[in-house]
Amino acid sequence: MDGHDEQRQPGIGDLAKDTTKDKVGVLTDMAAGRFVMRPLTHGQEWEVDPADVVAVTALEEMRARNSARNRMTRLGL
C-alpha cells in the first residue's frame, strides 16, 4: 500500500458512514460509548457503535451532499 488507500477514523464533526445502515451522516456527539449521527438535512439523529463507523469516500461524500441539496431544493429551502 502507498498510504493513499488508508482511511482515517472519523471524529466529531466529520461526515461518516454507518455501515450497519449503509447511511451517511455527520458525527455530532459521543454518548455512552456510541456515536450520535444525523443526516445532512438535519433529520432524526441515531446512535451507532464506533466499530460500525467509517470515513466516507469522495464519491460517497459527493452523493450525500448532492442528495441533501436536492432535498432542500424540493422543500423550497
Side-chain angles (χ1 to χ4, degrees):
M1 261 205 245
D2 62 3
H4 294 291
D5 296 327
E6 294 178 28
Q7 291 184 336
R8 66 174 181 79
Q9 182 66 26
I12 302 300
D14 290 339
L15 201 59
K17 182 176 180 179
D18 174 349
T19 59
T20 61
K21 293 185 178 197
D22 195 32
K23 191 173 178 180
V24 174
V26 177
L27 296 173
T28 60
D29 200 1
M30 180 168 263
R34 294 173 61 82
F35 278 123
V36 178
M37 295 182 74
R38 69 163 172 76
L40 288 175
T41 54
H42 303 285
Q44 181 68 39
E45 292 181 333
W46 74 96
E47 291 184 6
V48 60
D49 189 280
D52 297 325
V53 174
V54 297
V56 293
T57 65
L59 181 59
E60 288 170 328
E61 180 174 356
M62 182 186 69
R63 285 180 177 161
R65 292 189 188 283
N66 282 339
S67 178
R69 189 176 305 115
N70 288 341
R71 183 169 190 266
M72 299 303 274
T73 299
R74 282 192 303 274
L75 294 174
L77 301 174

